[in-house]
Amino acid sequence: MIVFGVDPGLTRCGVGVIEAGASRRLSFVHVDVVRSDPEQSQDLRLLAIYQGLTAALDRFSPDVVSIERVFAQSNHNTVLGTAQAAGLAMLGAAQRGIPVALHTPTEAKMAVTGNGQADKIQVQRMVARILGLNQLPKPADAADALAQAICHALRPAGAIQGGEREEHLTQAQRQWAQASAKYGKYRGVQRDM
């Protein structure tokens, strides 16, 4: 299964592509950052992001697109651009009939590091380790896009569907589920797993 991860942004939109093979073995395929010029008008910036995303979707023909779920921030301009870029990724996927999954930054960090509050460098290091990369994916947007793809590939709820049993989960999937349940209880949220 080819998983296309997106870390949406208006200036820098991270794109990470991995392959989830047998037993959820993950392999690196591609990473890039689609950029737009902050000096251009908003419409041209959105067009540049859309064209970059759709070119990558056409090149890699993923089975699923995993996009960082946009959440509220104090900087309204940042959240607006992020939401617009996420919408472009959803649109590009929908036009190609590719399913879309949304995962929060906390879910992606937890899937990759086991800590929903991990910092950027921890995410970069673990992404490199999980995918067997010789160097850290840079910039952080690129690592975050790969983390989104990894999160979707390792997500225990997806692994249990289709009649699979919990004992068939990999060690990483079990750890992710345990950490997610612990974090959910800590935050007062009950999660379905």
Side-chain angles (χ1 to χ4, degrees), residues 61-85:
S61 301
D63 298 297
V64 64
V65 175
S66 177
I67 304 168
E68 182 177 296
R69 182 184 300 274
V70 178
F71 60 95
Q73 297 178 358
S74 57
N75 185 336
H76 296 293
N77 288 334
T78 300
V79 76
L80 179 60
T82 301
Q84 290 171 331

Side-chain angles (χ1 to χ4, degrees), residues 114-126:
N115 175 6
Q117 303 302 316
D119 62 24
K120 295 283 187 186
I121 192 68
Q122 289 173 310
V123 172
Q124 287 175 302
R125 286 179 180 150
M126 287 306 296

Side-chain angles (χ1 to χ4, degrees), residues 135-158:
Q135 59 186 358
L136 300 181
K138 293 182 182 177
D141 309 281
D144 289 347
L146 288 169
Q148 273 294 313
I150 292 167
C151 175
H152 186 78
L154 295 181
R155 189 164 171 82

Side-chain angles (χ1 to χ4, degrees), residues 142-176:
D144 289 347
L146 288 169
Q148 273 294 313
I150 292 167
C151 175
H152 186 78
L154 295 181
R155 189 164 171 82
I160 295 173
Q161 292 176 1
E164 291 182 337
R165 294 190 197 166
E166 190 164 339
E167 62 261 20
H168 293 135
L169 297 178
T170 66
Q171 180 64 23
Q173 290 168 319
R174 278 192 286 281
Q175 289 173 342
W176 192 94

